[in-house]
């Protein structure tokens, strides 16, 4: 009897222990999955922010590149045309905080025109020789239709990093005259603080810490500011991820995205190639990136990650000890399963809270193409409520049919197969590329059209199979208005330049006519009998008149 009891007890104990172990593994996997899903969501939002900022910077550069005053100066680099160009660039510099420096550099590497932040026009000996700078060489190697985008670094003046760190990004393009001859490059330094401020406005959850690295593993953004910009200083060359966590860095350079636990810390990363969406939108845009890709790295430190895992383990360990007592065993199991459910619900509420409080529109779509979830920001942006869309409509209700047809034609040409203007457009685009980032026009419920930057990505399970699709949209109406204001400023500046040229031409004509008479009469006097002093004075009149005519002709 005793043996039967022992056997029965052993079997029951083994079953209970097996159940506890199964529950522990399930809860741990559920927690890890929710953490990784949250990290993937935040990476998608951060990627959209970076792509939007880089697209805006490229648009600003293209506006400057198309200035008529620049074309006139290239074909005729006279003093008057240079002044017109400098005045127009000054207007842009004053009104756009992102413009740190605008320069036209000749083929010899010497700065010809330079306007610094705030509209400061640099002249004379302050103009520098940039022939040895990598961005000048990189720009000269491009075709007139191409661009050279420098990697982000700190601004250097006079061979030294500015004392007050100023992160800059340079876009360079060759400039050709009317004959098609390259006569120099246009170099625009953008204040990259604009990018970091945009990232800072997105509140990464308390669990994750944000890091931003360049291709070599040096930090732009790190919780410890002393770790940043190591590649700019000889004494900080070892402050990079490759030196500090080589096993993590090896995985990051091998895979464009992924997650890994290293030395107790959980990391999740994503590779971003700046201007990639701009090259896809416009086949004329050919950009040399100069090793300027980014790695967004999110980290859960060992203490936080271990606290999540250890707390689960400790609970189930206590439950395992409790199985030795009959009724207490049942109570312990029920209690801890209840706690397990509470933990899952708490994490789910946290996840839902993050989505609900996000200032960007978030829509998830099932594999059948039907909307599964929209957050409050999406409701406000589209004018539709969750009850009206979830389980009833696909995201196509928000899109213009004409845009879908145009994008389907573009993707058909790009992929070499027919793409229909329906949900398959988004599904096939995300299957071909990591994420599909484009500008779209959302059609609100009230009929208003809202321009948005939409990033569509696929959410997968641990095996890589798709679970659903995530669409993150940002209202870019304000950016569009800013761009229109910029174009208005450009037109106003060109109008002022034209009026100034007309005024100078009129004044030149009005002065030249009487001056011809003065010079002619003075020449007649020289041919008459004059005293030596009178002749000398008359010659001075002729000489002065000729000098003035030369100035007017220039």
């Amino acid at each position: 009897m005793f043996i039967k009891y022992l056997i029965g007890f052993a079997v029951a104990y083994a079953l209970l222990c097996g159940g506890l172990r199964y529950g522990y593994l399930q809860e741990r996997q559920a927690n890890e999955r929710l953490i990784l899903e949250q990290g993937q969501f935040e990476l998608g939002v951060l990627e959209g922010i970076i792509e939007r900022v880089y697209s805006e910077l490229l648009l600003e550069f293209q506006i400057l590149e198309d200035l008529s005053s620049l074309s006139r100066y290239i074909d005729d680099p006279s003093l008057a045309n240079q002044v017109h160009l400098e005045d127009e660039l000054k207007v842009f510099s004053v009104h756009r905080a992102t413009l740190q420096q605008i320069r036209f550099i000749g083929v010899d590497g010497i700065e010809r025109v330079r306007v610094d932040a705030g509209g400061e026009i640099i002249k004379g000996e302050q103009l520098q020789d940039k022939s040895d700078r990598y961005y000048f060489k990189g720009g000269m190697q491009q075709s007139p239709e191409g661009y050279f985008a420098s990697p982000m670094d700190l601004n250097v003046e006079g061979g030294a990093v500015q004392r007050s760190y100023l992160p800059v990004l340079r876009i360079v393009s060759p400039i050709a005259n009317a004959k098609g001859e390259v006569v120099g490059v246009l170099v625009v330094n953008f204040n990259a603080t604009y990018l970091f401020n945009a990232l800072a406005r997105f509140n990464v959850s308390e669990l994750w810490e944000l890091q931003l690295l360049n291709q070599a593993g040096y930090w732009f953004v790190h919780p410890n500011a002393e770790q940043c910009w190591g590649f700019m200083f000889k004494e900080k060359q070892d402050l990079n991820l490759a030196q500090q966590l080589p096993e993590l860095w090896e995985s990051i350079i091998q895979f464009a995205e992924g997650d890994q636990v290293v030395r107790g810390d959980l990391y999740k990363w994503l590779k971003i190639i700046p201007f990639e969406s701009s090259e896809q939108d416009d086949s004329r845009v050919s950009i040399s990136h100069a090793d300027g890709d980014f790695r967004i790295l999110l980290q859960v430190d060992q203490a936080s990650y271990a606290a999540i895992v250890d707390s689960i383990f400790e609970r189930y360990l206590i439950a395992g000890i409790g199985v030795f007592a009959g009724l207490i065993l049942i109570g312990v199991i029920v209690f801890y399963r209840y706690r397990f459910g509470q933990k899952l619900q708490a994490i789910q509420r946290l996840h839902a809270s993050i989505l609900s409080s996000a200032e960007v529109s978030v829509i998830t779509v099932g594999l059948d193409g039907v909307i599964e979830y929209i957050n409050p920001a999406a409701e406000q942006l589209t004018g539709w409520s969750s009850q009206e869309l979830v389980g009833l409509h696909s995201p196509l209700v928000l899109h213009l049919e004409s845009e879908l047809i145009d994008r389907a034609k573009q993707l058909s040409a790009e992929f070499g197969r027919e793409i229909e203007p329906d949900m398959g457009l988004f599904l096939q685009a995300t299957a071909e590329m990591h994420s599909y980032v484009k500008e779209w026009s959302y059609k609100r419920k009230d009929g208003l059209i809202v321009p948005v930057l939409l990033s569509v990505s696929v959410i997968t399970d641990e095996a890589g199979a798709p679970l659903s699709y995530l669409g993150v949209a940002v209202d870019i109406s304000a950016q569009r208005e800013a761009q229109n204001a910029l174009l208005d400023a450009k037109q106003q500046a060109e109008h002022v330049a034209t009026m100034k040229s007309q005024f100078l031409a009129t004044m030149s004509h009005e002065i030249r006519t009487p001056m011809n008479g003065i010079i002619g009469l003075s020449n007649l006097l020289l041919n008459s009998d004059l005293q030596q002093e009178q002749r000398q004075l008359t010659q001075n009149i002729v000489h002065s008149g000729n000098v003035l005519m030369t100035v007017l002709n220039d």
Side-chain angles (χ1 to χ4, degrees):
M1 188 69 181
F2 179 73
I3 294 176
K4 291 182 178 179
Y5 175 77
L6 288 178
I7 294 174
F9 179 81
V11 171
Y13 180 73
L15 291 174
L16 289 171
C17 287
L20 290 173
R21 182 177 182 275
Y22 175 79
Y24 162 72
L25 293 176
Q26 289 295 310
E27 184 172 354
R28 176 172 176 170
Q29 291 174 2
N31 278 269
E32 292 175 346
R33 184 164 56 251
L34 286 174
I35 291 172
L36 291 175
E37 287 179 357
Q38 177 189 346
Q40 184 171 352
F41 164 73
E42 295 187 356
L43 285 175
V45 175
L46 292 169
E47 179 187 23
I49 292 172
I50 292 175
E51 289 290 350
R52 173 177 57 81
V53 170
Y54 270 81
S55 297
E56 291 175 1
L57 297 183
L58 181 59
L59 176 61
E60 289 189 27
F61 183 90
Q62 291 171 336
I63 291 175
L64 294 172
E65 185 183 30
D66 292 338
L67 290 176
S68 58
S69 58
L70 176 59
S71 300
R72 287 196 299 270
Y73 175 75
I74 295 305
D75 293 331
D76 178 17
S78 65
L79 178 59
N81 285 339
Q82 179 175 342
V83 170
H84 294 165
L85 176 58
E86 290 172 341
D87 288 344
E88 196 162 357
L89 294 181
K90 178 179 180 180
V91 172
F92 281 92
S93 180
V94 169
H95 288 88
R96 296 298 294 172
T98 54
L99 296 175
Q100 184 63 28
Q101 192 177 76
I102 310 171
R103 292 173 287 175
F104 174 74
I105 302 177
V107 293
D108 57 357
I110 304 298
E111 295 176 336
R112 298 288 193 270
V113 175
R114 173 175 164 183
V115 178
D116 286 351
E120 181 183 3
I121 299 175
I122 306 301
K123 293 181 176 291
E125 296 180 352
Q126 291 182 291
L127 297 174
Q128 302 178 21
D129 182 355
K130 298 295 183 179
S131 58
D132 62 338
R133 298 295 285 160
Y134 71 93
Y135 56 82
F136 169 74
K137 296 176 182 178
M140 288 297 296
Q141 293 173 359
Q142 303 301 309
S143 66
E145 295 79 18
Y147 301 91
F148 175 84
S150 74
M152 192 183 307
D153 58 17
L154 297 177
N155 195 43
V156 175
E157 291 294 343
V161 176
Q162 284 186 251
R163 183 178 299 274
S164 179
Y165 290 173
L166 177 63
V168 294
L169 167 72
R170 302 171 186 86
I171 301 180
V172 187
S173 179
I175 302 299
N177 59 20
K179 299 178 181 179
E181 302 168 339
V182 175
V183 296
V185 294
L186 177 65
V187 182
V188 179
N189 289 17
F190 291 98
N191 187 342
T193 305
Y194 176 61
L195 170 62
F196 297 138
N197 290 341
L199 293 176
R201 285 194 293 270
F202 173 69
N203 296 320
V204 178
S205 66
E206 295 180 358
L207 185 63
W208 293 97
E209 287 186 342
L210 171 64
Q211 301 177 33
L212 188 64
L213 304 93
N214 67 7
Q215 189 189 45
Y218 289 95
W219 284 281
F220 298 129
V221 176
H222 190 278
N224 180 7
E226 294 296 324
Q227 296 273 29
C228 299
W229 307 106
F231 63 94
M232 295 296 298
F233 306 95
K234 292 182 179 179
E235 66 275 12
K236 293 186 176 182
Q237 292 299 306
D238 60 338
L239 294 182
N240 60 74
L241 190 63
Q243 293 285 337
Q244 299 183 14
L245 293 174
E247 60 271 41
L248 174 61
W249 181 244
E250 183 178 350
S251 299
I252 290 178
I253 61 177
Q254 185 177 1
F255 302 103
E257 63 175 321
D259 53 80
Q260 185 175 345
V261 177
V262 179
R263 303 180 189 180
D265 291 358
L266 173 63
Y267 295 90
K268 188 169 181 62
W269 68 86
L270 175 65
K271 176 181 178 180
I272 296 180
I273 301 177
F275 298 113
E276 187 174 36
S277 63
S278 299
E279 292 178 284
Q280 295 169 356
D281 288 340
D282 190 345
S283 60
R284 297 179 296 107
V285 177
S286 174
I287 299 178
S288 174
H289 298 287
D291 300 331
D293 53 318
F294 294 148
R295 268 74 173 181
I296 304 177
L297 182 64
L298 296 179
Q299 174 188 4
V300 178
D301 62 48
Q302 182 175 7
S304 301
Y305 185 63
I308 297 173
V309 176
D310 292 346
S311 64
I312 303 171
F313 178 77
E314 290 171 1
R315 290 200 309 272
Y316 281 88
L317 179 61
I318 295 172
I321 296 173
V323 296
F324 284 101
L327 294 176
I328 298 176
L329 174 63
I330 298 174
V332 169
I333 293 175
V334 173
F335 173 74
Y336 277 95
R337 293 304 296 174
Y338 172 72
R339 291 286 302 274
F340 169 71
Q342 279 190 323
K343 181 64 176 180
L344 285 179
Q345 291 176 3
I347 295 176
Q348 290 171 348
R349 287 196 298 270
L350 173 62
H351 197 191
S353 176
I354 293 173
L355 293 175
S356 298
S357 61
E359 296 183 359
V360 295
S361 167
V362 178
I363 299 177
T364 60
V365 181
L367 298 180
D368 58 356
V370 177
I371 295 174
E372 295 180 340
Y373 170 81
I374 70 171
N375 71 341
E379 291 181 328
Q380 183 177 2
L381 178 65
T382 64
W384 293 83
S385 67
S386 176
Q387 293 79 5
E388 293 173 314
L389 292 180
V390 174
L392 299 175
H393 294 282
S394 76
L396 297 180
V397 72
L398 305 176
H399 290 272
L400 298 177
E401 183 178 359
S402 58
E403 276 192 345
L404 291 169
I405 294 174
D406 290 342
R407 295 293 164 81
K409 291 179 180 178
Q410 294 174 9
L411 291 178
S412 298
E414 183 176 347
F415 297 157
R417 62 177 184 272
E418 186 67 23
I419 304 295
E420 296 296 331
D422 52 23
M423 278 302 298
L425 182 154
F426 298 97
L427 305 186
Q428 295 185 57
T430 54
E432 292 288 340
M433 54 190 79
H434 165 69
S435 63
Y436 185 48
V437 182
K438 292 288 182 183
E439 289 188 8
W440 293 86
S441 298
Y442 267 6
K443 180 175 63 177
R444 286 172 48 88
K445 181 180 179 181
D446 56 14
L448 293 179
I449 305 300
V450 180
V452 299
L453 181 67
L454 175 63
S455 173
V456 181
S457 57
V458 60
I459 299 175
T460 61
D461 60 16
E462 296 177 351
L467 296 175
S468 59
Y469 295 89
L470 174 68
V472 180
V474 180
D475 186 352
I476 58 173
S477 301
Q479 289 82 353
R480 288 281 182 86
E481 292 176 0
Q483 292 168 7
N484 293 334
L486 194 62
L487 291 174
D488 291 342
K490 170 188 172 185
Q491 294 173 355
Q492 183 178 2
E494 290 178 342
H495 176 70
V496 172
T498 301
M499 295 298 294
K500 185 176 179 181
S501 298
Q502 292 176 351
F503 173 77
L504 291 175
T506 302
M507 290 303 297
S508 173
H509 175 73
E510 295 299 329
I511 295 174
R512 187 181 287 107
T513 300
M515 186 53 64
N516 284 330
I518 293 173
I519 294 173
L521 291 174
S522 298
N523 284 325
L524 291 176
L525 284 175
L526 288 174
N527 293 329
S528 62
D529 294 331
L530 297 174
Q531 297 178 4
Q532 183 62 32
E533 182 178 0
Q534 293 173 332
R535 181 172 297 279
Q536 183 64 41
L537 293 174
T538 304
Q539 289 176 343
N540 289 341
I541 293 173
V542 173
H543 176 72
S544 298
N546 288 330
V547 170
L548 183 56
M549 287 295 288
T550 300
V551 172
L552 292 174
N553 290 332
D554 290 340

